[in-house]
């Protein structure tokens, strides 16, 4: 059974950093695309960053490029989202999600492409 558990959210001042973690169980990350999505109050859920193929290719939405980094630790079966230079507009509930892929596949970083989701972790950027 695929399970994802996010952690690491919290309250941080603008310009600060947070490290979100997504612990996976029931499957091996090597064979899955993994994504971080977020939903701000009153807004649609949006893609933040994804690992889109088995080679580890990444996608970032424009507003987080240069500030956020997604990485995968296969030994720990965990995916990290390192968030630096946080802004109030980064405030949201952050979710990780996953979907099985195969060699030569590249999965678009879209909510509709991911079938398994965690419960989310809340990030608040405020002074």
């Amino acid at each position: 059974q695929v399970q994802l558990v996010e952690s690491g959210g919290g309250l941080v001042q603008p310009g600060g950093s947070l490290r979100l973690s997504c612990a996976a169980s029931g499957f091996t990350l090597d064979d899955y695309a993994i994504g971080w999505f977020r939903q701000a109050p009153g807004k649609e859920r949006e893609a933040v960053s994804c690992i889109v193929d088995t080679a580890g290719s990444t996608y970032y939405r424009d507003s987080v490029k240069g500030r956020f980094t997604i990485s995968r630790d296969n030994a720990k079966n965990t995916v990290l989202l390192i968030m630096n230079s946080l802004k109030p507009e980064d405030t949201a509930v952050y979710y990780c999600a996953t979907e099985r892929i195969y060699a030569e596949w590249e999965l678009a970083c879209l909510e509709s492409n991911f079938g398994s989701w965690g419960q989310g972790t809340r990030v608040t950027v405020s002074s």
Side-chain angles (χ1 to χ4, degrees), residues 45-106:
R45 188 153 57 182
E46 62 185 18
V48 177
S49 180
C50 293
I51 296 174
V52 298
D53 60 25
T54 56
S57 303
T58 56
Y59 159 87
Y60 295 92
R61 71 179 300 107
D62 286 346
S63 62
V64 308
K65 285 180 181 176
R67 300 189 298 124
F68 290 12
T69 303
I70 190 171
S71 64
R72 182 174 62 194
D73 185 336
N74 290 338
K76 295 182 179 179
N77 224 33
T78 298
V79 178
L80 300 179
L81 184 68
I82 309 299
M83 306 188 296
N84 297 319
S85 303
L86 282 162
K87 304 176 181 180
E89 51 264 43
D90 295 317
T91 295
V93 177
Y94 283 70
Y95 301 87
C96 66
T98 194
E99 186 63 39
R100 181 78 160 87
I101 56 175
Y102 299 89
E104 311 299 327
W105 283 26
E106 182 176 310

Side-chain angles (χ1 to χ4, degrees), residues 29-44:
L29 279 174
D30 304 43
D31 299 325
Y32 282 72
I34 191 102
W36 284 97
F37 297 78
R38 67 186 180 188
Q39 187 166 22
K43 294 189 175 182
E44 300 277 319

Side-chain angles (χ1 to χ4, degrees), residues 97-119:
T98 194
E99 186 63 39
R100 181 78 160 87
I101 56 175
Y102 299 89
E104 311 299 327
W105 283 26
E106 182 176 310
L107 193 69
C109 192
L110 299 172
E111 181 181 356
S112 57
N113 282 343
F114 289 79
S116 298
W117 292 79
Q119 293 301 304

Side-chain angles (χ1 to χ4, degrees), residues 20-35:
L20 302 186
S21 180
C22 176
S25 61
F27 68 103
T28 303
L29 279 174
D30 304 43
D31 299 325
Y32 282 72
I34 191 102

